Structures are given as structure tokens and as C-alpha cells.
Amino acid sequence: ASNNVQEAALEAYLDRMTRLLLDKELLDSKPTDVVHVIARAQTLTLARKLDGIRKGNLVRYLHELGLLEREPLLDLAGADLSGMDLTFAILGATNLSGVDLSKANLWMSDLRESTLARSNLSRADARGANLNDADLSSANLSGATLHATSLNQVKLSDADLSGATLTHADLGNSDLSHANLSRAFLKGAKLGHADLRRARFTEATLTEADLRDAVLLEASLSDAELVGANLAQVVLSRADLRGANLSRANLSAAKLEGTTFEEAILSGAKLTAANAEMADFRNRVLHKATLSEAVLSEADLSEADLTAAELQQADRSLVNLTGANLRLADLTRAYLTRANLHMANIAAATLTMTD
């Protein structure tokens, strides 16, 4: 009975919309025109009554009529399209900004260049979907499933992606400034050249993620898992990496000025040619880390474990190594002018040709 009622309601709506299009010139109307107001009210009212499949059919119909383009002829902001099924849908350049799409099924759909700003996509399933060049700024994607989703050059500034699954997703060149990715799962994700300024990755999993050349200025990565992540040439100046696990991470040529590493794990990390001036490495484990040619001037490495670390040609002027463990470390040609080595353990360390 429910199916019949919904089907009848949808058919009646299509008849009314057809009359509005043919008789009232809906396509040429303005948002303030009566015909537009009526069409919007009828659409939002119907959407609340439909199941997921019929909501998907409704959106497909409106898209085919050209009513949902980037500058939409029919504004769906506030519409209840939760649970909508758009599996395999091709809806490029569609405007669904401000719409409730929570728990929507967008699996393998094509929504490239679409506008979904301020929309609610919490717990939506967009696995394998194409959202390249889309606008998702200030959108709610908390708990969403975005495995292997294409999100290249997407606007995600101020978006909520907390708890979202983004394994192997492509977020390259995207704007995620101020976004919330706390507890998000980003294993193997691509974030190269992304704008991640002041983004929050607290307790996020970024194992083996590719963040090359990304900007993480003042970002929060406290307690994040970054094991084996590629952070080469990233900007992490003044970022918060307290408690983060950076084991085997590649931080070559990264900018780490003023970055906090309190309680972080950096064993086996590669910091070749990184700029860690004034960075805080107090009590950190840098066992077998590579810091060759790194700039560590005025950095705090007091009590740090640098056992078997590679520090060849590193600039360690004015660095604080008080109580640091440099056993078996290689400091060949390292610049140690005015460095503080008080109580440091340099047993079996290589100091050949140091300045």
C-alpha cells in the first residue's frame, strides 16, 4: 500500500510539474515568482514522503529537465533527500547545496563539478564516486564512506569529515583548510598538493598516505597515525604533532619550523634536508631516524633518543642536546656550533670532520 501511495504521489507531482513547465514558464521564472515558489514547495513536500529509490528518481527527473544546474532554476536547499539512492547516477554539475543527503547511497555515482556546499552527507555511502571539482565547503560528511572516491580539486574548506572512511581516496589539490578530519580513516589516501591549513586530524589514521607538497600550516595532527606516510616537502610549520606516530614517515625537505613533536614517535623517520628550526623534539624517539642535511638550529632535542640516527652535514647550531642519546649516531660534518651537548651520550658516535 505504501509503495502505491508513493508512486501515485510521484506521478501526480510529475503531472503538476509538467503543467508548470508548459503553462507557467517555470524555466524562465525567478526565485521570487509565484510559479517558482509553488514548484519548490511541492518538490520539498513530496521529497519527505518518498523512499530512497523514488527520491533518486525525483532528482534524476529534475536534473534531466535542467532545473538543478550550478545556478539552479529550482532551489532544493532544505530538502529531505536522506537515504536517497543515486547508485551509478550521472549528475555532473548538479546543485544540491544545503540539502539533507544523510545516509544517501551515492555508490559509483558521477557528481563531478556539482555544488554540495553546506549539505548534510553524514553516513552517506559514496564509494568509488566521482566528485572531482565539486564544491563541498562546509558540508557535513561525518561518518561517510568515501573509499576510493575521486575528490581531486574539491572544495572542502570547513567541512566536517570526522570519522569518515577515506581509504585510498584521491584528495589531491583539494582545499581542506579548517576541515575537521578527526578520527577519519585515510590509509593510502592521496593528499598531494592539498591545502590543509589549520585542518584537524586528531586521532586520524594516515598510514601510508601520500601528502607530498601539501600545506599543513598550523594543522592539528595530535595522536594521528602517520606510519610510513609520505610527507616530503610538506609545510608543517607550527603544526601540532603531539603523540603522533611518524615511524618510517618520509619528511624529507619538510618545513617544520616551530612544530611540536611532544610524545611523538619518529623512529626510522626520514627528515633529510628538513627545516626543523626551533622545533620541539624533547624526549622523542628518533631511533635510526635520518636527519642528514637537516636544519635543526635552535631546536630542542634534549633527552631525545637519537641512537644510530644519521645526522651527516646537519645544521645543529644552538641546538639543545642536553641528555640526548647519540650512541652510534653519525654526525659526520654536522655543524655543531654552540650546540649544548651537556650530559649527552655520544658513545660510539661518528664525529669525523665535524665543525
Side-chain angles (χ1 to χ4, degrees):
S2 177
N3 285 335
N4 292 335
V5 170
Q6 291 185 53
E7 198 63 34
L10 183 57
E11 289 179 7
Y13 168 83
L14 297 180
D15 289 339
R16 290 195 298 272
M17 285 295 290
T18 300
R19 289 197 297 272
L20 289 174
L21 286 166
L22 296 176
D23 305 335
K24 301 293 185 178
E25 299 181 346
L26 177 59
L27 292 174
D28 297 321
S29 68
K30 298 177 182 179
T32 55
D33 291 345
V34 174
V35 64
H36 185 280
V37 173
I38 292 173
R40 172 176 158 76
Q42 290 182 348
T43 304
L44 268 60
T45 299
L46 175 67
R48 288 194 294 270
K49 301 176 181 178
L50 300 179
D51 58 21
I53 292 175
R54 290 182 176 85
K55 285 179 179 179
N57 292 338
L58 171 63
V59 169
R60 286 182 173 91
Y61 168 75
L62 296 173
H63 177 266
E64 289 171 2
L65 290 175
L67 297 173
L68 299 179
E69 296 177 350
R70 280 192 169 181
E71 296 297 328
L73 294 170
L74 184 60
D75 182 10
L76 290 184
D80 179 4
L81 294 174
S82 57
M84 176 175 63
D85 188 348
L86 281 177
T87 305
F88 291 108
I90 300 176
L91 299 169
T94 298
N95 193 321
L96 292 169
S97 56
V99 173
D100 182 0
L101 293 161
S102 57
K103 298 182 182 179
N105 187 353
L106 306 173
W107 192 71
M108 297 298 290
S109 60
D110 187 346
L111 288 159
R112 72 184 79 184
E113 299 182 10
S114 291
T115 302
L116 295 134
R118 303 177 306 283
S119 291
N120 181 7
L121 288 130
S122 59
R123 291 181 286 173
D125 185 352
R127 285 174 292 174
N130 185 345
L131 286 155
N132 290 340
D133 299 294
D135 184 356
L136 285 153
S137 52
S138 300
N140 180 2
L141 291 136
S142 59
T145 302
L146 298 153
H147 171 73
T149 302
S150 295
L151 292 152
N152 199 269
Q153 298 188 87
V154 171
K155 295 178 182 177
L156 280 158
S157 56
D158 295 297
D160 184 358
L161 288 141
S162 58
T165 299
L166 289 144
T167 47
H168 302 288
D170 183 359
L171 289 144
N173 301 290
S174 292
D175 180 2
L176 287 127
S177 55
H178 300 271
N180 181 8
L181 292 115
S182 300
R183 300 178 304 283
F185 197 60
L186 293 131
K187 183 177 180 180
K190 298 177 182 177
L191 291 142
H193 298 276
D195 184 351
L196 300 163
R197 283 176 290 184
R198 297 189 178 180
R200 284 171 286 166
F201 288 91
T202 305
E203 298 181 12
T205 300
L206 289 144
T207 306
E208 298 176 359
D210 186 353
L211 293 105
R212 283 175 293 180
D213 297 290
V215 178
L216 287 136
L217 182 70
E218 298 181 353
S220 175
L221 293 122
S222 57
D223 297 309
E225 284 289 328
L226 289 147
V227 177
N230 190 348
L231 293 149
Q233 302 181 82
V234 300
V235 178
L236 272 162
S237 303
R238 299 188 299 282
D240 183 0
L241 282 153
R242 286 177 294 180
N245 188 347
L246 289 145
S247 300
R248 304 192 313 280
N250 181 6
L251 288 146
S252 299
K255 293 184 178 180
L256 305 166
E257 303 99 314
T259 299
T260 302
F261 290 93
E262 184 180 340
E263 298 185 10
I265 300 171
L266 291 139
S267 55
K270 185 176 181 181
L271 291 97
T272 305
N275 186 347
E277 187 174 358
M278 300 180 70
D280 185 355
F281 291 103
R282 286 175 295 174
N283 299 299
R284 291 309 88 230
V285 177
L286 287 144
H287 176 67
K288 291 186 178 180
T290 302
L291 294 110
S292 304
E293 301 180 31
V295 178
L296 294 159
S297 54
E298 299 186 64
D300 192 346
L301 284 145
S302 56
E303 305 292 337
D305 182 359
L306 289 150
T307 307
E310 296 182 20
L311 295 138
Q312 302 98 319
Q313 301 184 59
D315 181 354
R316 300 168 71 85
S317 55
L318 296 172
V319 69
N320 184 3
L321 286 157
T322 303
N325 186 357
L326 289 154
R327 186 175 179 275
L328 298 173
D330 188 347
L331 291 126
T332 303
R333 297 181 63 85
Y335 188 70
L336 291 160
T337 302
R338 297 172 65 187
N340 186 352
L341 287 154
H342 180 63
M343 297 184 70
N345 180 5
I346 56 173
T350 302
L351 297 161
T352 308
M353 297 177 66
T354 55
D355 290 327

